[in-house]
Each structure stands twice: as C-alpha cells, then as structure tokens.
Amino acid sequence: MANSTSRKSNFNDCLPLMAEKLGGDGLIGELCKGFQLLMDRDKGVITFESLKKNSALLGLQDLSDDDLKGMVKEGDFDGDGALNQMEFCVLMFRLSPELMEQSQFLLEEALHQEFVDSDFSF
C-alpha cells in the first residue's frame, strides 16, 4: 500500500484546468469520452476487467489490481459492481479536491444570488 500512497502524492489533478479551458459542458463531454474508452462495450459500464484492460489508454497502466478495484468500489453507488456513466463522472469530480472546492464555492454563490434575486428575507 505504500506504493499506492506515493502514487497519490504524485497525482496531477488536471480537471480544474480542463474545466477552466472547456467550460462545464466541455468538461462533462470529455469525461463521457473517458467513460467510453474505459467501459466494457458489451455491458455498457466500467467493470474491473474493462478498467484493467483499458486503463493504459489513459496512462494508468501502473495502477495495481487493488487500486483499480478500489476505484470501482468507491464510485459504485448502486452496488452492482460496475460504474455507469453518471457514477464515473461523479467519481472523477470527487477525486478532484480543487474542482470540488470550486463547485462548492459556485453553489454557495448561486444560492446567495438566488436569495438576493428573490428578495427573500428572514
């Protein structure tokens, strides 16, 4: 597991830069393309096997089986043992701390603006 920890510290989070360059719709489009690359074509979802087989396409060939299984498990909200497109996109956001912080800030800003626009007062 020490290997996994050292890999995490070398992780370069590119999602915030992609979001800045592509905008929200563009980023989602790119995540969907990534999903298509990693999914099992017959099942239409990302399985451990499809992730292991296709992960080298995204430069992830050095991840261990345990790392790959952990990724599937972490994103598998419905418990079917695989990732559908929505689960994959949510997982990618969750794995990007900076993007999560930006999303929280934008949500808070939008909620504040909604209260101002609605002239809602306590």
Side-chain angles (χ1 to χ4, degrees), residues 28 31-32 34-36 39 44-46 72 74-78 80 82-94:
I28 295 298
L31 288 175
C32 290
F35 175 82
Q36 296 293 321
M39 76 173 194
V45 293
I46 296 174
V72 172
E74 185 172 343
D76 182 17
F77 295 118
D78 61 13
D80 66 355
L83 300 178
N84 62 36
Q85 188 168 291
M86 180 62 72
E87 290 171 326
F88 174 75
C89 289
V90 168
L91 178 62
M92 293 300 98
F93 271 82
R94 287 179 53 219

Side-chain angles (χ1 to χ4, degrees), residues 3 5 16 22 34 39 63 80 91 96 101 105 114:
N3 231 359
T5 305
L22 301 173
M39 76 173 194
L63 292 177
D80 66 355
L91 178 62
S96 174
E101 288 172 13
F105 172 76
E114 184 68 30

Side-chain angles (χ1 to χ4, degrees), residues 39-52:
M39 76 173 194
D40 179 304
R41 301 267 182 253
D42 296 328
K43 297 178 181 176
V45 293
I46 296 174
T47 63
F48 162 72
E49 292 80 13
S50 70
L51 185 57
K52 183 174 180 167

Side-chain angles (χ1 to χ4, degrees), residues 9-62:
S9 65
N10 292 330
F11 176 70
N12 187 12
D13 184 5
C14 297
L15 282 182
L17 179 61
M18 289 175 66
E20 184 180 321
K21 299 263 186 212
L22 301 173
D25 289 341
L27 176 61
I28 295 298
E30 289 302 308
L31 288 175
C32 290
K33 288 177 187 175
F35 175 82
Q36 296 293 321
L37 283 172
L38 296 172
M39 76 173 194
D40 179 304
R41 301 267 182 253
D42 296 328
K43 297 178 181 176
V45 293
I46 296 174
T47 63
F48 162 72
E49 292 80 13
S50 70
L51 185 57
K52 183 174 180 167
K53 177 182 168 189
N54 299 320
S55 61
L57 297 171
L58 299 176
L60 303 174
Q61 65 274 4
D62 293 335

